[in-house]
Amino acid sequence: MKQDMIVILDMGSTENTVLARQIRDLGVYSEIHPHDITPEGLKALNNVKGVILNGGENRVVDGVAVDVDPAIYDCGFPVISVDHPTAKCAKQYAELPNDDEMKKFLFEVCQAEANWNMKNFVEDQIEAVRRQVGDKKVLLALSGGVDSSVVAALLLKAIGQQLVCVHVNHGLMRKNESEDVVEVFKNQLNANLVYVDATDRFLGKLENVADPEEKRKIIGGEFIRVFEEEARKLEGIDFLGQGTIYPDIIESGTKTAKMVKSHHNVGGLPEDMQFELVEPLLQLFKDEVRECGIELGLPPHMVYRQPFPGPGLGVRCLGAITRDRLEAVRESDAILREEFAKAGLDKKVWQYFTVVPDFKAVGVRNHERSMGYMVVIRAVNTIDAMTATIERVDYDILEKIADRITAEVPSVNRVCFELTKKPVATIEFE
């Protein structure tokens, strides 16, 4: 590993990611690890220069205050505490969200070098993947989203034709997205791509399932089953590549933080899964994933495309999924994306999409009373997906979108614009 590293031990803080980003912004690589890491586990990490104990409001778990193994202090690394009093630390309290204090700790106390950059990260991950995989093959779920695209590019650099990309059309994709995935990755990038149309299979499993967590687990579990079936058709598949990134881990729960929501590639993996995971983006935030994609040579339109959840439109067709509401989500989303592109908002807004709730409202169509679905538009901006603000979309643009959706999607008679930031809302509705 070419980068020096500062290890942040999660002692119950809600600001771990803020601290990690502050350190990376100063040019030093940082990783967040659980408070109960063993001394052996800490020493096994590469190029550790210092340790920060990051305490906070979640330090007490089930009535007991979490703490580190006392032997951590004897590992030979400078240790400093944030909101975690202990006489053994180099400094009992430190005001580190301050850059001058942080710089002193990083560069004077820890003697770390400001050598964190994406070129070094990519080189390190390529080496790590080659060590982990050896001469075996990796099966990758290639949705065509930013995360899976960047993972595909990195794995192609690392192991070439040992990578087998599988694109599963689960019937929950955006309009024409599967066709685009095949065109870009198979025809243009010459990836070893297997296309599987499993629409009926997924929708059958999801029939009458309304609970969001159950939907996510069904979709994640069924993905693994599809991959296992594809793997049995091949030889030497021992690994599953995934585009898991750090916000996925945080929102799926840590030892000191409750789950916000499970992610299909974190909480939805079956216990009897037959693959070892390859997750080279595990410690990156969303903006860093995009930077990684550019470093790997992916085209900007692919790197900066709209984020899309692994369960796809399944978590935007709220409640139990039906084919008519799923089609309403797909068509309204396509209209929204088209109009945002015309207005130049596709380059400005981080994520925008539509959802359709599981109820109908009264309306008027063809001079008669009719019942129709409601489409809700969400448009948010964020850096790392941990917080998000609302894009102030011009009213004329919204009105045009509403007119098109109600005219072109017959099952819809209302369009709303959602205004809640993250927190208290999440970016997705489920």
Side-chain angles (χ1 to χ4, degrees), residues 200-220:
D200 292 338
R201 176 174 176 171
F202 275 83
L203 295 186
K205 292 279 187 180
L206 292 165
E207 188 172 1
N208 299 321
V209 178
D211 180 73
E213 285 304 303
E214 188 176 355
K215 286 199 292 187
R216 287 177 179 273
K217 291 181 186 300
I218 287 172
I219 294 168

Side-chain angles (χ1 to χ4, degrees), residues 148-223:
S148 68
S149 297
V150 173
V151 168
L154 194 151
L155 293 179
L156 282 169
K157 290 266 189 183
I159 58 174
Q161 291 303 301
Q162 293 170 242
L163 174 65
V164 180
C165 298
V166 176
H167 176 68
V168 178
N169 182 358
H170 49 22
L172 305 171
M173 304 295 289
R174 290 175 288 200
K175 190 173 183 178
N176 297 326
E177 194 149 41
S178 286
E179 294 83 351
D180 290 342
V181 168
V182 173
E183 171 60 27
V184 171
F185 287 96
K186 186 172 185 177
N187 299 340
Q188 297 181 20
L189 299 182
N190 298 315
N192 184 4
L193 178 64
V194 177
Y195 174 78
V196 181
D197 187 350
T199 298
D200 292 338
R201 176 174 176 171
F202 275 83
L203 295 186
K205 292 279 187 180
L206 292 165
E207 188 172 1
N208 299 321
V209 178
D211 180 73
E213 285 304 303
E214 188 176 355
K215 286 199 292 187
R216 287 177 179 273
K217 291 181 186 300
I218 287 172
I219 294 168
E222 202 61 22
F223 257 102

Side-chain angles (χ1 to χ4, degrees), residues 210-274:
D211 180 73
E213 285 304 303
E214 188 176 355
K215 286 199 292 187
R216 287 177 179 273
K217 291 181 186 300
I218 287 172
I219 294 168
E222 202 61 22
F223 257 102
I224 298 301
R225 301 305 176 212
V226 172
F227 292 141
E228 287 177 339
E229 292 169 12
E230 293 303 319
R232 284 194 289 270
K233 301 174 186 176
L234 303 166
E235 294 182 359
I237 297 287
D238 292 297
F239 296 90
L240 177 67
Q242 287 203 135
T244 314
I245 64 175
Y246 194 71
D248 296 341
I249 301 297
I250 289 294
E251 291 193 333
S252 294
T254 65
K255 293 180 179 179
T256 61
K258 294 182 179 179
M259 179 182 71
V260 176
K261 60 183 176 184
S262 71
H263 286 258
H264 76 288
N265 49 2
V266 179
L269 297 176
E271 294 181 2
D272 61 346
M273 186 180 69
Q274 299 177 11

Side-chain angles (χ1 to χ4, degrees), residues 293-337:
I294 294 297
E295 177 66 30
L296 287 163
L298 288 176
H301 80 270
M302 183 182 300
V303 172
Y304 291 101
R305 71 180 303 174
Q306 276 283 291
F308 194 52
L313 299 183
V315 291
R316 295 178 182 173
C317 186
L318 307 185
I321 297 170
T322 60
R323 290 183 184 256
D324 61 337
R325 284 194 303 111
L326 185 59
E327 190 64 15
V329 176
R330 199 186 328 270
E331 292 299 324
S332 61
D333 176 79
I335 292 170
L336 175 68
R337 289 190 287 129

Side-chain angles (χ1 to χ4, degrees), residues 22-52:
Q22 180 191 8
I23 295 169
R24 293 186 191 186
D25 287 345
L26 292 173
V28 180
Y29 182 60
S30 62
E31 285 188 1
I32 303 166
H33 288 269
H35 67 277
D36 57 358
I37 188 172
T38 64
E40 293 75 20
L42 181 63
K43 291 177 180 178
L45 299 174
N46 291 314
N47 287 10
V48 175
K49 295 296 183 179
V51 178
I52 298 176

Side-chain angles (χ1 to χ4, degrees), residues 121-131 154 157-158 296:
F121 177 84
V122 168
E123 291 177 357
D124 286 342
Q125 291 305 313
I126 287 174
E127 291 177 8
V129 167
R130 288 172 177 167
R131 286 196 303 270
L154 194 151
K157 290 266 189 183
L296 287 163

